[in-house]
Amino acid sequence: MIELTLAEIAEAVGGRLVAGSGGAGPDTVISGEAQTDSREVRPGQIFFARRGEETDGHLFAGKAVEAGAALLVVERELDEHELSVERELEAAGDVPQIVVPEATEALGALATEVVRRVRARGGLTIVGITGSNGKTTTKNLVAGMAERLGETVASEKSFNNEVGGPLTMLRVRDTTETLVAEMGASAEGEIARLTAMAPPHIGVVLTVGLAHAGEFGGIETTFRTKSEMVRDLPETALAVLNRDDPYVSRMAEMTRARVRWFGLHPEAEVRASDIDAGADGTRFTIHAGGESLPVHFPVLGEHHVMNALAATSVALELGLPLAEVVDVLQRQTRAARWRMEVMGGRDGVTIVNDAYNASPDSMSAGLRTLAQIRKPQGRSVAVLGAMSELGEYSVEEHIRIGLQAVRLRISELVVVGKEARQLHISAINEGSWDGESVFFETQDEAYDYLMRTLRPDDTVLVKSSNSAGLRFLGDRLGEAFA
């Protein structure tokens, strides 16, 4: 974070400064990053004591002090007793506190001020990325390309909400040239709030699908929410839009910014052709700015080509030559942790762990990839769990995925968890299938079954929403066949 005095931070967050007994005062300078998890706090950092649905950050403020926090942002003033952990800390009362009405709002307010100051000094380009699928992969690709040009800050993991977004923004320094912010939402207005904190120079919209449909209330609401990314962009900004997605392409009429299309459509300015997906990634030709270059993109899954095109569109705007863009793409080995992550190898068994997120679109794409990369001498095995946050669409979409597994002639379907049972029922009701589907309530049961039945040269896809936790099953299988 940039250097700010305690007085400046208090003013930014609308809080009251309570100076510690260690001599810190209004003019004391703080420059450490912000944390909301006391386990992540390092010396010199700021701890925001948020109240969550399951716990209260104020209960862990003492842990933050013990870890070396230089400032506490709290909703009530804490005394020395509350800040002591297991043993009496002589310095427990030394740490200054800023008391605010609401810690999460204070986190966003501080991020807004830090970004505003760095932007005012010039040299910072902000890239905002949203979409129902592909945000993290695209963010990682853009970050890798931007790093070729200068110091870059990008969202860690999938930090893309009202907490993760500001935490990323607060890592910006005076020397940062590019901020790559993944911006997600589970309700209308959330992306607008994030873009208000860090107004993008480049706004990217990847897809509009049924991810989080249960929370949004339908595809049209999802469309309105995702369009918040480009709706307020100024004429000087760039909107990077998916020409192949009918909902995203409608957003061109909703923005004052310049529009750059990406996709497979002939009108796309950044386009791919000659796509050939296989077990070692995807080969295609990329066309942009009058140039055409061959690409071997090692990330599994034809659907990731669209993420590569979106990232390329951003990188070209930042000034990176197409040849360097291709070099970055060809150095990628995985989209991100637990996203089409290739594991295993013993006896020719390949485990593809893609169980960090799952929407109907990404589940469908995963099954198509599995069918494409199966070895001729081996079987395709889909280990699937529930797709969460689909609301009234849940039963319908699980049925559709079960039917798709059959129609793609996946050799075996292993369904895990009662929330995904409809997927299993859908598959076994498809009488023309000569494969089989089995169901297990627990991961341990599924693991034991797979360890007994997997054969040499089998290819296994493990896919579910994060809440279903099948990524851990994927890790176990990957280790077992390492």
Side-chain angles (χ1 to χ4, degrees):
M1 191 181 80
I2 63 173
E3 292 186 346
L4 293 173
T5 66
L6 288 175
E8 289 173 322
I9 295 174
E11 181 179 3
V13 302
R16 173 174 59 89
L17 175 62
V18 180
S21 57
D27 294 330
T28 299
V29 173
I30 302 290
S31 61
E33 294 178 10
Q35 301 290 352
T36 59
D37 185 336
S38 62
R39 296 168 296 183
E40 301 292 329
V41 172
R42 299 294 179 268
Q45 295 186 342
I46 307 170
F47 177 66
F48 283 77
R50 296 179 60 249
R51 297 179 192 272
E53 293 181 2
E54 298 180 1
T55 188
D56 183 350
H58 296 78
L59 300 176
F60 302 94
K63 287 286 188 183
V65 170
E66 187 177 51
L71 171 64
L72 304 177
V73 179
V74 295
E75 295 176 6
R76 58 180 176 81
E77 187 175 339
L78 303 176
D79 59 32
E80 291 188 26
H81 175 72
E82 291 178 285
L83 295 177
S84 297
V85 182
E86 294 179 358
R87 58 184 176 81
E88 290 296 321
L89 293 175
E90 293 182 5
D94 290 354
V95 180
Q97 304 176 43
I98 294 178
V99 183
V100 298
E102 210 282 326
T104 302
E105 291 181 3
L107 178 67
L110 183 58
T112 302
E113 178 63 11
V114 166
V115 170
R116 185 194 67 78
R117 289 185 179 222
V118 177
R119 279 185 64 134
R121 294 167 190 170
L124 176 66
T125 299
I126 300 172
V127 181
I129 301 171
T130 196
S132 297
N133 298 290
K135 293 185 294 296
T136 300
T137 301
T138 304
K139 174 259 300 180
N140 290 343
L141 292 174
V142 171
M145 295 170 186
E147 285 168 356
R148 296 284 182 101
L149 298 169
E151 182 179 314
T152 300
V153 169
S155 306
E156 296 178 342
K157 304 175 184 176
S158 290
F159 282 8
N160 61 24
N161 61 10
E162 62 180 354
V163 177
L167 289 176
T168 298
M169 297 167 196
L170 285 170
R171 291 168 45 216
V172 167
R173 303 183 301 177
D174 289 322
T175 52
T176 303
E177 294 189 21
T178 308
L179 167 63
V180 187
E182 182 181 337
M183 296 181 176
S186 56
E188 286 191 81
E190 292 183 2
I191 292 175
R193 282 193 287 274
L194 291 170
T195 58
M197 294 177 196
H201 299 87
I202 305 172
V204 182
V205 186
L206 300 166
T207 59
V208 172
L210 285 175
H212 309 291
E215 295 178 342
F216 283 124
I219 194 74
E220 285 294 335
T221 308
T222 304
F223 164 71
R224 290 196 303 272
T225 302
K226 299 304 181 185
S227 68
E228 292 169 10
M229 170 61 69
V230 299
R231 200 178 298 157
D232 294 328
L233 291 179
E235 294 177 358
T236 55
L238 175 70
V240 175
L241 303 178
N242 183 346
R243 183 63 180 84
D244 295 0
D245 187 302
Y247 286 97
V248 177
S249 61
R250 284 167 52 188
M251 295 181 191
E253 303 172 357
M254 306 171 66
T255 183
R256 295 171 293 161
R258 292 178 293 124
V259 172
R260 178 171 295 164
W261 299 111
F262 69 91
L264 308 183
H265 195 283
E267 293 179 3
E269 293 138 289
V270 178
R271 183 172 59 87
S273 65
D274 307 318
I275 298 174
D276 182 20
D280 63 345
T282 306
R283 287 173 168 80
F284 61 96
T285 301
I286 192 166
H287 310 273
E291 292 185 81
S292 297
L293 293 175
V295 181
H296 174 210
F297 190 36
V299 175
L300 280 185
E302 182 178 319
H303 54 292
H304 284 304
V305 171
M306 298 299 284
N307 302 327
L309 295 177
T312 298
S313 303
V314 174
L316 294 176
E317 182 71 6
L318 294 176
L320 192 68
L322 185 61
E324 284 203 57
V325 168
V326 170
D327 186 56
V328 173
L329 293 176
Q330 296 191 146
R331 291 175 183 271
Q332 300 298 310
T333 57
R334 67 182 184 189
R337 181 79 169 100
W338 296 311
R339 291 173 172 86
M340 301 305 286
E341 185 174 8
V342 179
M343 310 170 76
R346 179 172 61 83
D347 299 329
V349 174
T350 301
I351 309 296
V352 181
N353 194 353
D354 192 35
Y356 191 82
N357 276 317
S359 66
D361 290 337
S362 67
M363 187 77 85
S364 178
L367 287 174
R368 290 197 303 272
T369 298
L370 175 62
Q372 289 172 333
I373 68 175
R374 178 184 68 84
K375 299 172 185 175
Q377 68 274 27
R379 301 179 305 154
S380 55
V381 180
V383 183
L384 306 182
M387 300 178 288
S388 62
E389 300 177 358
L390 291 178
E392 63 181 288
Y393 301 96
S394 182
V395 171
E396 174 187 344
E397 292 302 321
H398 281 89
I399 289 174
R400 187 175 67 82
I401 293 299
L403 291 176
Q404 184 179 20
V406 172
R407 290 164 186 171
L408 287 171
R409 305 198 70 77
I410 302 301
S411 304
E412 183 170 27
L413 185 60
V414 179
V415 180
V416 185
K418 60 183 180 181
E419 294 83 1
R421 189 179 183 91
Q422 189 62 57
L423 198 158
H424 165 66
I425 294 170
S426 170
I428 62 176
N429 284 342
E430 186 71 7
S432 62
W433 194 29
D434 61 2
E436 63 177 313
S437 178
V438 293
F439 172 78
F440 300 100
E441 288 202 357
T442 70
Q443 291 188 35
D444 287 341
E445 292 172 320
Y447 176 80
D448 292 342
Y449 171 80
L450 289 163
M451 291 302 297
R452 293 194 310 269
T453 60
L454 286 179
R455 308 170 191 169
D457 295 317
D458 280 353
T459 302
V460 183
L461 170 70
V462 183
K463 181 75 173 167
S464 75
S465 284
N466 194 17
S467 59
L470 261 61
R471 62 192 184 281
F472 303 119
L473 174 59
D475 283 345
R476 290 177 68 188
L477 291 170
E479 292 169 5
F481 286 94

